[in-house]
Amino acid sequence: MQEQIRVGDSLDFTTTLTDYPASSGWVLTYRLIPRTSGTAITITGIAAGDDHRTVATAATTAGWTAGEYSYVAYVDLSGEHYVVDEG
């Protein structure tokens, strides 16, 4: 996850998780949690071969509240759930 996202900018990046390939059905999700107040943001990745592509359009991010957020990234498959990153 990149360190800074600007409200109104497009977000598009790819994550490689060799233990949890998208081609096997694993779904990567990022949850952005405001550090003060506001609504959490959930971004569900899409498969890009074995990799996971995370995309949010400029129109989508324009609706986000500016501020500091923590994040957690996790993968899910058939009832299995693992946190793979946070910050």
Side-chain angles (χ1 to χ4, degrees), residues 3 12 14 18 28 32 41 44 50-52 57 59-61 63 70-71 78 82-83 85:
E3 191 171 310
D12 189 343
T14 301
T18 54
L28 175 64
L32 309 176
I41 299 165
T44 303
D50 286 341
D51 296 331
H52 303 268
T57 65
T60 296
T61 69
S70 297
Y71 75 91
S78 302
Y82 299 101
V83 172
D85 194 16

Side-chain angles (χ1 to χ4, degrees), residues 7-77:
V7 171
D9 280 359
S10 297
L11 178 67
D12 189 343
F13 63 93
T14 301
T15 304
T16 301
L17 300 169
T18 54
D19 292 337
Y20 309 103
S23 60
S24 292
W26 288 99
V27 176
L28 175 64
T29 302
Y30 281 90
R31 182 125 171 109
L32 309 176
I33 304 114
R35 291 191 179 173
T36 54
S37 64
T39 304
I41 299 165
T42 301
I43 311 165
T44 303
I46 55 176
D50 286 341
D51 296 331
H52 303 268
R53 185 172 172 212
T54 302
V55 177
T57 65
T60 296
T61 69
W64 295 355
T65 302
E68 291 189 17
Y69 289 74
S70 297
Y71 75 91
V72 62
Y74 55 89
V75 291
D76 291 294
L77 174 66

